[in-house]
Amino acid sequence: MKIVIAPNAFKNSLSAMAVAAALQEGIRLSGYTGALVCCPVGDGGDGTGSLLAQYLGASVITTKVKDPLGRIIEAPLGWVKETATAVIELADASGLRLLKPVEYDPLLAHTAGCGRLIKAALNKGARELLLCIGGSATVDGGTGILKELGLRFYDAQGMALQQLPRDLAKLHTIDTSGFDQRLRQVKITILCDVNNHLLGAKGAAAVFGPQKGATAKEVALLEAGLQQLRQVVLQHTGRDIDILQSGGAAGGVAAGLSAFCEVAIVKGIDYFLKKINFGQELEGADWVITGEGSIDYQTLDGKAPFGVAAMAKQKGIPVIGVAGKVPEAANPELQAYFQWLLSINEQPMAIEEAIRQTQPNLVKAGLKIGTALQNK
């Protein structure tokens, strides 16, 4: 028997690699001695960039950048010399994990640090940028990145906007004369794990603002700023950045970059699996195990476990989904892709405790899976 373990990260707890290692440990504890392939995956969410860089054999280059609140930190980018490809994890420079909860401030948090990483890649002679944008602390429409790359944002009086995104609703003119022309020679691929558009009830401000600390009043201010950005971009470029699928990802970074660069916005898990040649890993597999923190109906929108399960289904391989939380009632749509959904938490507990217990509970889940598969 051959088992392929291909989980995503468990958010706020373990990396995809650590999840795969814990499941592997549990399966081996069951006495299973057959083939076992660990193939951790990412879908564009936080952690995808570092994982992708490892698969591609990238070296790591550290650069001084500004964190979401403007403090100087060091952030890595992956560099594949042979293809002049830079792998950039937005969260390494502009991520929510860089802030303490009391510091969350989406009216001031910006993506300038990620822009600095892109500039560092251009300075290295990058011909391709792979940008993984999950886990951002920002709702700035990508204006922090664009400012680092040479754009200037002005109000109706011709004064430069000082605080983005707080002042974005005052935007009147965008000066593109200083924009870094090297971007026109670079292929940019943005890996996303959400489908949200820029504006509206399911847009960047309404959905992601509260996750990044925004009150209802602040969500309204952020929405107004993004609406103004869309309007001014439309006047300047003729591009409507609100029609883009996934344009609202990372607080509108995907939409903002699309306004001034030629980018491909892709479903992160599909791109990732193709890039690492996951289909080859599945050859001869009898079972596939995947998972992340929660598996529910939203998983079917293109999250990592669904991407893995869909590819396995094409090859007729049964899939086990492992998560901290799974639906209590049977879900026919999920059952079409997952033969077994297993919660690693055997009894109800507070989320903080569940996060603390993730690693040992994954080992226990692996033991349970290994025992069950050997008894089939």
Side-chain angles (χ1 to χ4, degrees), residues 308-323:
V308 170
M311 189 174 280
K313 184 175 182 177
Q314 287 176 352
K315 295 178 178 290
I317 307 166
V319 179
I320 299 169
V322 175

Side-chain angles (χ1 to χ4, degrees), residues 2 6 18 28 33 44 51 92 97 120 137 154 159 174 197 212 220 232 249 260 273 300 325 331 337 340-341 343-344:
K2 175 183 174 182
R28 290 301 188 199
T33 58
L51 204 52
D92 285 335
R97 60 176 155 85
Y154 296 102
M159 300 295 290
I174 301 174
H197 287 251
K212 300 168 188 185
V232 176
F260 299 97
L273 294 178
L300 300 171
K325 186 179 179 185
N331 182 311
Y337 291 92
W340 182 12
L341 283 177
S343 171
I344 65 171

Side-chain angles (χ1 to χ4, degrees), residues 51-79:
L51 204 52
L52 192 55
Q54 288 178 57
Y55 277 115
L56 296 177
S59 58
V60 177
I61 299 167
T62 55
T63 303
K64 280 190 166 56
V65 302
K66 292 178 181 177
D67 80 354
L69 298 179
R71 299 170 296 204
I72 301 298
I73 60 169
E74 289 201 339
L77 66 84
W79 179 250

